[in-house]
Amino acid sequence: MTASAGPAQQDTAGTKKFLVLLMGSIGVVYGDIGTSPLYAFREALRPFSHDGISHNEVIGLISLMVWTLTIIVTFKYVLFLLRADNDGEGGTLSLLALLMKKTGRYMPVLFFAGIIGAALFIGDAMITPALSVMSAVEGLKLVTPALSGYVLPISAAMMVGLFAVQSRGTAAVSNFFGPITVLWFLAMAWGGLLHIGDDYTILEALNPINAVWFITHAGFVGLIVLGAVFLTVTGAEALYADLGHFGRKPIQVAWFILVFPSLALNYLGQGAFVLAHPEAAENPFYLMYPDWALLPIVLLATAATIIASQAVITGAFSLARQAVHLGFLPRLQITFTSETNTGQIYVPAVNTLLFVGVLVLIFTFGDSESLATAYGISVTGAMVVTTLMAFQFLRSVWKWSAVAAGAVLLPLLLLETVFLAANLLKIHDGGWVPVLLAATIMVIMWTWRKGSMILREKTARNDIPLETFIRSIEKKSDHAPVAVPGTAVFLTSVPDKTPAVLLHNIKHNHVLHEQNVILTVRTADTPYVPPASRIELVRISDRFLRIQITFGFMDDQNVSKALGLCKKAGFKFEIMQTSFYVGRRNLISDPNSGLPKWQDRLYIALAGIGIDPSDYFRLPANRVVELGEQVTI
């Protein structure tokens, strides 16, 4: 009995865990794409409303929306890109890290593509919360016009609450949000089912020929409308970035059993409702619900739009951590919010940046209609970049031929390029906002990357080979440093050179510990590195060891904990008799550094906001010794 109970209990626990992840993925991953029905069809109808909306235009629009969801979200993201993971992690930078590991070709192109995609995604993470929440809160005007003047302060207050709870972690947030989002999708499906019978010809939209007809017959106005149609798939890129939070299977199952059917039914219902009641085109989503249900739906929509922001926020946290570990951003404070899932994190600096950006957008644009015109460029741009990188993924990782990879991705790339072109038409009408946000983030990433390379090159000029230093220091002479008991750990990024902090210690304190560790921390191109492969230990002399600790770019970079693994390799030390020496650089601007003056100052400013290395590497605070130096850059 006992033997058979074990597997049964494991199955029950596994099923429970899967259901928790499934519910969480609905609440976080699909929150963004689940609020698109609030505004997507309304904005797509707007260019046609001045001269009346024809039957074929409504059918063509709904067909285009349903098939855009099918092709881009179902085929590209849910079925394909969720399998293009880097040991379970998704997103533009995770894909870039995988390609850096697998191929040596086209690296400059892939590098810039990764930065562009990451920058566009962070821009999207600012615009999505502002647009989604304002769209929902504006529904209060239908309940009572007296609330019209309170849309902005209510939206801002909701954003304060949303960003305040981020520190509690993805699991806590998703456990609360999941059931609400499930109710929201069911309410959308119900609203659609109420009105599909208003005009059964709307079912013709399920024929993709109607989508093709719309694209080929709508002319220039149709190109403008495509920008609004693309609002139906906002959140798809976040779906990929959030892969590490929940895993592939829960995300895929949630899409097919609940999310996609609910979205399709709602869009079909909105289309049939407008065919039967053309005057409802001004706000078809809310108007298709009965009067008694309007207030509950507005409140549910408001909750859903707050939740919608979670997908891009958690995606931005994951992306920021990857950017830090891959050398695109300075070290930022990263808090782990789950004991079992290391993909669930909180990044205070990113949270603050997104919060400020969202508030600026809310009060600058003032309503969802104005902000909707600015939306789309960041989403479509990020999708195009991801498709281009996916082509190289198929070639380098899955070993597909160029012909096979092109046959699969070229039609998708053409479709997304058309959508991007349609959104670029809105540059003058607010579309410059996501472009400016993305450009700013790209400059920051490129500056940090380039500045760090220049700094390494400058400090390398004064480096002394480690073995040369050890030979000189171990010669008996009157000037030899005093030997002191204990262990000294010197952190350095160049393991074969003498750390500057070691030279400063001898120069100023004239002592050398009986055991000295030259410690290098390296970040691999994989998300996680198993403990068995984490430590490389080489004894250089009786008093010197070289240790390299390798973390994955999604690992918690806890050096103190990792050093405990060294005992198995024969290196024993007592933490209370160990001192960690960390160098602190005071950067000074140098006009001949190789960077323009403004970029030089930007790099120094970025270095100033980086977290202290002793905190970043989780070193014991009472065992850290910092020695400073001035470096021109």
Side-chain angles (χ1 to χ4, degrees):
M1 291 292 289
T2 306
S4 61
Q9 290 176 347
Q10 290 177 359
D11 290 343
T12 302
T15 302
K16 184 178 179 181
K17 181 180 179 181
F18 176 80
L19 291 176
V20 169
L21 291 172
L22 179 68
M23 184 69 73
S25 70
I26 293 172
V28 174
V29 174
Y30 291 115
D32 187 3
I33 202 169
T35 56
S36 296
L38 281 168
Y39 47 79
F41 188 49
R42 180 194 71 195
E43 295 301 318
L45 289 173
R46 200 174 299 281
F48 297 111
S49 58
H50 66 281
D51 60 351
I53 304 168
S54 72
H55 180 276
N56 287 338
E57 286 169 345
V58 172
I59 298 293
L61 270 176
I62 296 298
S63 181
L64 193 55
M65 288 179 163
V66 170
W67 282 99
T68 298
L69 280 171
T70 303
I71 295 171
I72 292 182
V73 182
T74 303
F75 291 136
K76 177 184 173 181
Y77 285 93
V78 176
L79 294 178
F80 169 51
L81 275 180
L82 288 185
R83 297 175 61 83
D85 65 299
N86 191 349
D87 291 347
E89 288 298 323
T92 305
L93 290 185
S94 184
L95 189 57
L96 173 62
L98 180 62
L99 293 177
M100 289 169 64
K101 178 173 59 176
K102 294 291 184 179
T103 180
R105 296 180 297 170
Y106 318 118
M107 283 318 302
V109 176
L110 292 172
F111 170 77
F112 279 105
I115 288 183
I116 292 170
L120 287 168
F121 181 83
I122 293 177
D124 178 27
M126 292 184 186
I127 299 175
T128 292
L131 174 61
S132 299
V133 170
M134 281 199 293
S135 296
V137 176
E138 284 166 359
L140 293 172
K141 294 188 290 187
L142 298 176
V143 179
T144 169
L147 293 174
S148 299
Y150 296 96
V151 170
L152 293 185
I154 291 173
S155 300
M158 289 179 174
M159 288 297 96
V160 171
L162 175 66
F163 284 97
V165 302
Q166 293 304 313
S167 60
R168 300 182 66 87
T170 306
V173 172
S174 63
N175 289 340
F176 177 72
F177 284 169
I180 298 175
T181 312
V182 169
L183 184 60
W184 168 246
F185 279 114
L186 293 175
M188 283 197 296
W190 171 64
L193 287 171
L194 282 177
H195 291 282
I196 288 178
D198 290 356
D199 192 329
Y200 281 114
T201 61
I202 194 63
L203 296 178
E204 295 175 12
L206 298 177
N207 186 344
I209 293 176
N210 288 294
V212 176
W213 177 91
F214 179 85
I215 294 175
T216 55
H217 287 77
F220 182 74
V221 174
L223 190 60
I224 297 174
V225 169
L226 285 178
V229 170
F230 204 82
L231 294 174
T232 59
V233 293
T234 57
E237 196 68 24
L239 180 157
Y240 184 36
D242 284 331
L243 175 59
H245 288 260
F246 300 99
R248 180 194 308 145
K249 195 78 171 182
I251 295 175
Q252 290 177 327
V253 171
W255 174 254
F256 286 110
I257 68 170
L258 177 65
V259 179
F260 187 37
S262 299
L263 291 174
L265 286 171
N266 190 269
Y267 284 123
L268 289 169
Q270 286 192 54
F273 184 55
V274 169
L275 286 175
H277 306 279
E279 69 279 3
E282 65 180 53
N283 205 329
F285 180 85
Y286 284 120
L287 292 176
M288 70 177 180
Y289 287 93
D291 291 341
W292 62 265
L294 185 57
L295 181 58
I297 289 296
V298 169
L299 295 176
L300 185 59
T302 303
T305 52
I306 296 172
I307 296 168
S309 308
Q310 191 63 44
V312 287
I313 292 172
T314 53
F317 290 162
S318 295
L319 185 144
R321 177 164 71 159
Q322 295 172 25
V324 168
H325 290 169
L326 293 173
F328 297 149
L329 289 175
R331 296 186 185 113
L332 301 173
Q333 180 183 346
I334 299 171
T335 303
F336 292 81
T337 59
S338 171
E339 294 181 0
T340 57
N341 191 336
T342 56
Q344 297 183 4
I345 58 173
Y346 168 66
V347 186
V350 174
N351 196 58
T352 302
L353 174 67
L354 295 179
F355 172 63
V356 172
V358 167
L359 288 187
V360 169
L361 289 171
I362 286 175
F363 287 102
T364 300
F365 284 86
D367 59 68
S368 64
E369 181 182 341
S370 299
L371 190 55
T373 61
Y375 203 36
I377 293 179
S378 56
V379 181
T380 52
M383 285 185 175
V384 168
V385 168
T386 303
T387 301
L388 292 172
M389 295 178 70
F391 175 82
Q392 189 59 34
F393 170 85
L394 289 177
R395 299 276 289 116
S396 303
V397 182
W398 286 3
K399 305 301 181 184
W400 286 26
S401 68
V403 174
V408 171
L409 293 179
L410 186 57
L412 190 62
L413 180 62
L414 292 175
L415 176 62
E416 290 175 344
T417 303
V418 171
F419 278 121
L420 177 59
N423 280 282
L424 288 173
L425 294 175
K426 301 184 291 186
I427 281 283
H428 67 285
D429 194 19
W432 56 270
V433 173
V435 174
L436 179 62
L437 288 172
T440 301
I441 295 164
M442 283 179 61
V443 168
I444 289 173
M445 288 185 171
W446 171 237
T447 297
W448 183 256
R449 182 83 170 187
K450 187 176 180 181
S452 297
M453 290 174 61
I454 292 174
L455 183 60
R456 281 195 297 269
E457 290 172 0
K458 277 200 166 189
T459 54
R461 296 169 190 166
N462 300 320
D463 285 343
I464 300 173
L466 181 60
E467 294 187 4
T468 301
F469 169 78
I470 292 173
R471 284 196 299 269
S472 66
I473 207 71
E474 291 185 341
K475 290 180 180 178
K476 295 186 180 295
S477 70
D478 296 337
H479 301 291
V482 177
V484 294
T487 301
V489 178
F490 300 93
L491 270 73
T492 179
S493 59
V494 188
D496 59 342
K497 304 295 182 182
T498 308
V501 67
L502 170 57
L503 295 174
H504 287 309
N505 184 46
I506 291 178
K507 177 180 178 182
H508 296 289
N509 298 324
H510 308 291
V511 297
L512 185 68
H513 287 71
E514 61 184 5
Q515 197 166 219
N516 299 275
V517 175
I518 309 302
L519 178 63
T520 305
V521 179
R522 189 179 73 86
T523 301
D525 292 331
T526 54
Y528 306 102
V529 171
S533 305
R534 183 156 293 164
I535 299 294
E536 291 183 23
L537 188 151
V538 177
R539 179 165 291 279
I540 310 171
S541 70
D542 292 340
R543 299 175 68 182
F544 281 87
L545 298 96
R546 183 187 293 120
I547 296 177
Q548 178 174 283
I549 301 177
T550 303
F551 294 106
F553 62 78
M554 296 296 284
D555 277 323
D556 175 14
Q557 302 208 358
N558 190 326
V559 167
S560 299
K561 185 177 179 180
L563 283 175
L565 301 172
C566 293
K567 294 180 180 180
K568 295 181 179 179
F571 170 54
K572 297 181 180 181
F573 69 101
E574 294 295 332
I575 192 69
M576 297 310 297
Q577 295 181 8
T578 301
S579 297
F580 293 86
Y581 285 82
V582 179
R584 180 177 290 277
R585 288 172 175 155
N586 179 28
L587 301 180
I588 301 172
S589 181
D590 179 6
N592 300 316
S593 66
L595 289 173
K597 190 174 183 179
W598 65 269
Q599 201 171 21
D600 199 23
R601 292 180 175 178
L602 175 59
Y603 179 79
I604 293 173
L606 290 172
I609 67 173
I611 188 174
D612 188 285
S614 58
D615 293 332
Y616 184 79
F617 291 122
R618 309 288 186 89
L619 303 179
N622 60 342
R623 307 304 305 169
V624 174
V625 179
E626 290 188 348
L627 295 176
E629 63 174 328
Q630 291 188 339
V631 180
T632 58
I633 181 172

